[in-house]
Amino acid sequence: MKYDFTSIEQKWQKIWDQKKVYSVDLNDTGKKLYCLVMFLYPSGDKLHIGHWYNFAPTDTWARFHRLKGYNVFEPIGYDAFGLPAENYAIKTGVHPQDSTRKNITDIRSQLKKMGAMYDFDYEVDTSDPEYYKWTQWIFLELYKKGLAYRTNAPVNWCPKDQTVLANEQVVDGLCERCSTPVVRKAMTQWFFKITAYADKLLEGLDSIDWPERTKLMQRNWIGRSEGVEIVFKVENVEDTIKVFTTRPDTLFGATYVVLAPEHPLVQKVTKPAFKAAVDEYVELVAHENEIERTSTSKEKTGVPTGAFAINPINGEKIPIWIADYVLSTYGTGAVMAVPAHDERDFEFAQKYKLPIRIVVNPTDGNLVEPLKAAYVEEGVAVNSGHFNGLESPKVWDGIADELQKNGDATRKVNYRIRDWLLSRQRYWGAPIPIVHCDSCGEVPVPDKDLPVLLPYDVEFKPTGESPLARNDAFVNVACPKCGKPAKRDVDTMDTFVDSSWYFLRYLTPHLGTAAFDDKLVSRWLPVDKYVGGAEHAVMHLLYARFVIKALHDAGWVNFDEPFTSLVHQGIITNQGAKMSKSRGNVVNPDQFVNGYGADTFRMFLMFMGPYNEGGDWSDRGITGIFRFLNKIYDLYSSEEVPPIAGEKTPPSPSDAERTAYRKINQLIKKVTEDLEQFRFNTAIAALMEFVNDFTQLSSENEIGPGLRSLVLNRFNVLLAPFAPHLSEELHELRGGEVPVFSSSRWPEYDASAITEENVTLVVQVNGKVRAKLTVPIDSTDEAVKSLASTEPNVQRHLEGKTILKTIVVQNRLLNFVIK
RNA sequence: GCCGGGGUGGCGGAACUGGUAGACGCGAAGGACUUAAAAUCCUUUGGCCCCAAACGGGCCGUGCGGGUUCAAGUCCCGCCCUCGGCACCA
């Protein structure tokens, strides 16, 4: 018989669907497993190889657990709001709602062909009012807790997309979506106070099973640093300048102070003679874009203000400069410059001939002037008054304490992370549920009036103003508080708000009375295994953690980390470049599904290499998997194949039967261990190796039907997570109860049977292999030694030499060290 | 510049805790079946060399250069390349 994958796959997809094999009883009290992939972005592209690479192996992992007896919940849904759909609409005139709906329909049918365990009754669509009603509710919950606020602040503006962006969406000064240089603009915008959770977000990382590099990225992004805020008086002016430093131990080495050009005191302190130059410089810097401003390779520039600050530790008068290398958005927007011990200050001081004073020497010697580079390590204090001779950590605390006592300093922790800017001047998103009233100010829309519906009929061409502002019917509304005419907020939310809680909604996608069902959420969350791309390390994955922590503190959920365990699949590139529509190098999976079947294709993706490494796409080798499945099909559909029910361990097995039994048990162990760790490639190699060994064994020797049946039964279950359609078919062919995923259990291996009877032992002379011996396992050192020395090739190399020592590693190797 | 991951045959990749490098698959070559092809099956396949030949033996070989060890793809030191992240965060 021929392996007719098309009809087999169609047949089983239909049966699974009709019998509702994968619909989960969420109230089942058995062991639950929530297995989640990052949901889909239906912007106009169909499913591509990258999606398959994310979803299919994850489905294999989920199926494996289902066979192990877990109650597995594996949902899928659509992250349907967002810029790409809107940009597509602008280009083609097709309304984003229409294009998105159509896309979801197409993608759903592609997904069904994949044959994953998705239960399409639990789909989520973030652009559906029944979903975004609750996105708005979450916004309001955060608002009520003071975690959402609106303020005027310098923000990142993308001139092409005509909207503001979050810090996380600016990559190297470019818009993450369209690579346009981002400009800084002061605008009134909505923020989530993620900075309030900086420490909790850091601490939580210690308790979750995530890739270390992802945790590291989050730690770096949060950027916690402990330091001291020091007050410098300004000569002849009332105001003081606060600087943040992590090196108060170098305070005696401060030879000037630098303000960011945007610092509010710049105008106040500048001396009249310097005003013209300062104004000109401030103007110049204001026109620099984000890349120019933050580039480390750019030479630092600055101008003096003519004013002087007083160093609180020694009363010394030092000049105040303004310079572009000081950022207004970090710390206090002002720094004390210690050129001898800070690279940036050193570079600046050299250029502008500012004094460089050594105040820390290495413990093993003195620095030599003039310095060639800043010495940034710790050491021993010099030129530092009564702190001289003390080691840096002591000086650090000593100076901090002394200043603190005099009210000149406070210990402080600063973070690199900024609040999450969530408002967007775009159409295709969830409206922000706030009304602006002249008498009452910001008024949250009452829960009973949610959702604030996104009107269909809107001119969405970008003008820099929110498209919703042009829709009078949307904008004009009675104030929910006083009833007077008021206006709705016209911005929409960043789609990362939508995606930071969708995993709660999956359990009850159509629930009308709440965002989620507490009982189900407390039973099923957190997500046990989350699989998705590493590119979300500091965006989605950080935002979702924040939202969950906020909901936790507000009493809505009983856990504070959403994803217990995280896996990143690697990226599949094409000719070395990331697949994207604009590069025109996207590979469509349909041709492979049609040509070889979903089972072959998913298995090929898993066989390519380590799951978290991805790699460059090539279909070379897909025939190997296809041949393998054909071989299995032949093995199971031949005439003499014993039925499922005939399984039996023979009372006195032949050698071949013992070997076959050992190998199937070794295979169970290997595949089980590999699957647990997402090592699909080596698991598949082991399956292949087994089939090779087993066919050879049974062609040369007699393997009785009882054992043959046993082996085929176990093997077919091992195959099921990888090639589920084929496995069902083979099971049915041999009279088994189907579906496999309802009737079968993952086999346990027989520990007493996996040990080899003989081992191959390497005999070395001076570390070079000279012979190989097959000996019974656990042979004694003496037995092995005497056997080894009878090997002719070994004797030849030992002849006339003295054996200095003999190293024996049991069951592995023997090495004669000679002279 | 800093922080991570990686570099193994013609290709994708395997290798436990330092113990047979190259599992498994692709490709290639030769053979069987066939009128022929496809499919399938069998054999060979890291490089170089010795031997009339062997299913005999030798040398070299995991990015480069050193080191530790009886033994190094694996550990240590110094580099090179590559991918990803961060990049004036005081």
Side-chain angles (χ1 to χ4, degrees):
Chain A
M1 266 197 287
K2 199 177 168 301
Y3 169 41
D4 181 358
F5 54 86
T6 309
S7 63
I8 290 174
E9 291 178 1
Q10 277 171 4
K11 169 182 163 187
W12 288 101
Q13 282 167 21
K14 208 162 138 200
I15 292 173
W16 291 335
D17 200 34
Q18 281 167 352
K19 294 198 171 172
K20 295 212 153 288
V21 175
Y22 306 125
S23 73
V24 182
D25 179 3
L26 295 175
N27 293 306
D28 187 335
T29 48
K31 43 184 186 175
K32 69 94 179 179
L33 189 116
Y34 190 167
C35 175
L36 182 68
V37 290
M38 290 183 185
F39 62 170
L40 277 152
Y41 204 87
S43 66
D45 293 328
K46 306 281 178 273
L47 279 195
H48 57 74
I49 295 213
H51 293 117
W52 266 79
Y53 192 68
N54 182 184
F55 300 165
T58 305
D59 180 62
T60 290
W61 188 86
R63 285 178 182 274
F64 162 62
H65 281 86
R66 161 119 185 185
L67 288 167
K68 291 217 315 187
Y70 285 88
N71 194 21
V72 179
F73 183 50
E74 188 193 21
I76 191 77
Y78 313 97
D79 190 8
F81 272 141
L83 272 183
E86 189 169 349
N87 287 343
Y88 178 75
I90 292 159
K91 221 160 82 187
T92 62
V94 182
H95 194 281
Q97 184 175 307
D98 302 337
S99 65
T100 303
R101 295 279 145 86
K102 165 140 196 335
N103 251 305
I104 288 178
T105 309
D106 293 349
I107 287 173
R108 187 184 294 118
S109 72
Q110 278 186 304
L111 280 171
K112 286 188 170 170
K113 280 194 195 151
M114 202 170 95
M117 294 199 297
Y118 304 132
D119 184 338
F120 290 91
D121 291 342
Y122 290 89
E123 275 182 336
V124 140
D125 170 355
T126 59
S127 70
D128 191 319
E130 77 172 4
Y131 182 90
Y132 71 70
K133 171 179 181 177
W134 301 107
T135 307
Q136 293 172 336
W137 176 84
I138 283 178
F139 173 91
L140 292 173
E141 281 305 304
L142 297 195
Y143 183 80
K144 285 173 199 158
K145 297 287 171 198
L147 293 172
Y149 65 95
R150 193 168 180 247
T151 191
N152 190 279
V155 298
N156 306 300
W157 172 263
C158 173
K160 172 119 180 285
D161 284 335
Q162 296 275 312
T163 183
V164 296
L165 301 169
N167 266 356
E168 288 80 359
Q169 290 166 317
V170 180
V171 178
D172 293 332
L174 306 175
C175 170
E176 185 219 4
R177 292 247 167 256
C178 66
S179 297
T180 305
V182 164
V183 295
R184 276 207 167 258
K185 242 179 150 173
M187 293 178 75
T188 299
Q189 297 291 330
W190 284 97
F191 293 86
F192 280 146
K193 212 181 252 177
I194 194 170
T195 51
Y197 278 80
D199 277 328
K200 284 188 176 171
L201 288 166
L202 275 176
E203 287 157 17
L205 291 174
D206 296 332
S207 68
I208 50 181
D209 169 31
W210 283 25
E212 274 310 315
R213 64 195 168 105
T214 305
K215 291 197 205 179
L216 188 69
M217 267 193 242
Q218 292 211 349
R219 285 193 187 101
N220 291 342
W221 189 263
I222 294 165
R224 184 180 203 275
S225 77
E226 289 180 18
V228 177
E229 211 167 85
I230 302 176
V231 183
F232 281 70
K233 290 200 171 71
V234 182
E235 193 188 35
N236 302 327
V237 181
E238 278 301 296
D239 295 279
T240 57
I241 295 173
K242 281 186 183 161
V243 305
F244 176 74
T245 180
T246 55
R247 294 295 302 274
D249 56 307
T250 63
L251 182 54
F252 282 91
T255 55
Y256 61 105
V257 164
V258 194
L259 303 180
E262 302 87 349
H263 195 284
L265 286 181
V266 170
Q267 292 305 321
K268 263 193 185 156
V269 304
T270 302
K271 291 279 188 292
F274 294 80
K275 192 172 181 335
V278 165
D279 286 350
E280 193 188 331
Y281 182 73
V282 168
E283 184 66 11
L284 183 83
V285 172
H287 283 94
E288 282 179 355
N289 69 30
E290 203 55 23
I291 315 172
E292 291 161 359
R293 180 66 193 272
T294 57
S295 163
T296 44
S297 54
K298 176 180 156 288
E299 200 177 304
K300 301 177 192 352
T301 59
V303 291
T305 62
F308 287 87
I310 312 296
N311 186 337
I313 199 75
N314 56 10
E316 189 180 3
K317 248 175 69 176
I318 56 177
I320 302 172
W321 283 61
I322 63 174
D324 58 353
Y325 78 95
V326 175
L327 304 176
S328 63
T329 47
Y330 183 78
T332 60
V335 303
M336 63 180 216
V338 185
H341 305 292
D342 180 282
E343 284 168 22
R344 297 150 300 181
D345 298 340
F346 183 80
E347 196 189 315
F348 192 80
Q350 280 209 314
K351 179 170 173 186
Y352 293 103
K353 308 274 183 291
L354 289 156
I356 297 170
R357 185 191 305 149
I358 294 168
V359 292
V360 182
N361 264 327
T363 38
D364 56 357
N366 290 345
L367 297 171
V368 186
E369 294 196 89
L371 284 178
K372 286 205 186 63
Y375 175 74
V376 299
E377 309 297 316
E378 298 192 335
V380 180
V382 290
N383 297 324
S384 297
H386 59 277
F387 295 100
N388 283 345
L390 294 178
E391 297 201 342
S392 295
K394 287 225 166 72
V395 184
W396 203 107
D397 281 320
I399 290 183
D401 288 343
E402 192 170 313
L403 293 175
Q404 203 154 354
K405 213 162 31 182
N406 302 332
D408 290 329
T410 40
R411 282 182 159 79
K412 208 164 167 200
V413 178
N414 261 314
Y415 301 89
R416 206 193 78 118
I417 192 172
R418 304 295 141 81
D419 278 340
W420 170 11
L421 198 174
L422 70 110
S423 43
R424 296 288 179 276
Q425 290 68 56
R426 297 298 299 248
Y427 165 67
W428 192 231
I432 290 175
I434 292 285
V435 170
H436 300 284
C437 170
D438 286 342
S439 6
C440 313
E442 272 168 19
V443 182
V445 173
D447 287 0
K448 67 174 173 53
D449 294 337
L450 295 179
V452 175
L453 280 173
L454 183 69
Y456 182 89
D457 197 13
V458 168
E459 176 56 60
F460 43 74
K461 232 186 297 153
T463 59
E465 182 191 39
S466 300
L468 290 177
R470 296 191 289 269
N471 186 311
D472 292 341
F474 175 83
V475 173
N476 296 311
V477 67
C479 169
K481 220 178 197 171
C482 69
K484 279 191 248 173
K487 290 187 184 307
R488 285 196 191 280
D489 200 293
V490 293
D491 286 351
T492 54
M493 288 187 238
D494 181 3
T495 52
F496 281 119
V497 183
D498 308 334
S499 58
S500 59
W501 72 281
Y502 74 106
F503 40 90
L504 305 178
R505 185 70 183 173
Y506 268 137
L507 295 159
T508 50
H510 307 298
L511 184 66
T513 51
F516 49 85
D517 180 308
D518 323 2
K519 277 217 187 74
L520 288 181
V521 160
S522 65
R523 180 170 307 151
W524 282 89
L525 274 284
V527 169
D528 297 285
K529 190 66 83 174
Y530 195 27
V531 185
E535 67 274 17
H536 290 107
V538 290
M539 293 195 273
H540 163 59
L541 288 168
L542 192 62
Y543 294 147
R545 292 183 61 222
F546 160 68
V547 166
I548 291 306
K549 284 179 188 297
L551 288 176
H552 172 261
D553 289 357
W556 289 105
V557 297
N558 64 349
F559 56 95
D560 70 349
E561 284 292 341
F563 315 119
T564 308
S565 177
L566 173 74
V567 171
H568 294 307
Q569 81 277 13
I571 298 169
I572 304 295
T573 54
N574 192 9
Q575 280 134 31
K578 233 182 200 167
M579 286 189 203
S580 74
K581 220 179 184 177
S582 56
R583 280 195 196 83
N585 65 348
V586 176
V587 181
N588 187 333
D590 294 352
Q591 54 176 310
F592 301 106
V593 177
N594 295 336
Y596 298 97
D599 281 341
T600 294
F601 188 55
R602 57 147 63 199
M603 216 159 160
F604 174 61
L605 291 174
M606 289 185 259
F607 189 58
M608 277 172 53
Y611 186 56
N612 55 14
E613 283 175 26
D616 204 47
W617 172 253
S618 161
D619 58 8
R620 246 176 98 165
I622 193 167
T623 53
I625 297 288
F626 188 60
R627 279 176 200 156
F628 177 56
L629 293 188
N630 271 288
K631 206 188 281 184
I632 293 172
Y633 187 81
D634 291 345
L635 184 67
Y636 277 74
S637 58
S638 69
E639 285 181 15
E640 67 271 23
V641 75
I644 298 254
E647 169 170 339
K648 210 167 86 193
T649 326
S652 49
S654 67
D655 280 0
E657 286 175 331
R658 269 218 316 280
T659 308
Y661 186 69
R662 183 173 68 240
K663 284 192 184 289
I664 188 71
N665 280 294
Q666 287 172 334
L667 182 70
I668 294 167
K669 181 169 190 284
K670 169 81 176 156
V671 173
T672 306
E673 287 168 0
D674 282 354
L675 272 185
E676 260 151 21
Q677 298 166 73
F678 278 71
R679 295 204 313 230
F680 306 106
N681 57 331
T682 48
I684 293 170
L687 291 171
M688 289 174 163
E689 207 168 345
F690 176 81
V691 170
N692 291 345
D693 291 349
F694 183 69
T695 43
Q696 177 152 18
L697 207 57
S698 35
S699 74
E700 289 168 359
N701 299 280
E702 185 55 37
I703 293 180
L707 190 83
R708 202 174 165 75
S709 174
L710 180 147
V711 166
L712 294 180
N713 290 354
R714 309 250 163 118
F715 182 84
N716 193 46
V717 181
L718 298 185
L719 178 71
F722 298 92
H725 309 87
L726 177 60
S727 177
E728 294 280 14
E729 182 72 11
L730 300 179
H731 198 65
E732 190 185 54
L733 223 54
R734 291 173 57 238
E737 188 195 330
V738 286
V740 166
F741 288 91
S742 303
S743 65
S744 299
R745 272 298 153 90
W746 191 256
E748 299 275 339
Y749 65 87
D750 179 349
S752 69
I754 57 171
T755 319
E756 291 286 343
E757 292 169 5
N758 295 309
V759 289
T760 304
L761 200 112
V762 170
V763 184
Q764 298 182 332
V765 177
N766 271 357
K768 297 206 166 168
V769 180
R770 298 302 178 192
K772 290 177 187 181
L773 298 174
T774 300
V775 295
I777 194 157
D778 296 337
S779 297
T780 63
D781 292 4
E782 287 314 311
V784 164
K785 258 190 234 179
S786 57
L787 195 61
S789 29
T790 65
E791 282 287 313
N793 199 39
V794 174
Q795 283 180 344
R796 186 161 46 242
H797 284 93
L798 293 180
E799 206 170 337
K801 303 287 169 68
T802 320
I803 297 178
L804 299 178
K805 62 175 159 174
T806 309
I807 286 154
V808 185
V809 181
Q810 202 179 39
N811 298 327
R812 286 203 179 275
L813 141 161
L814 181 135
N815 189 8
F816 293 107
V817 184
I818 58 164
K819 208 178 114 182

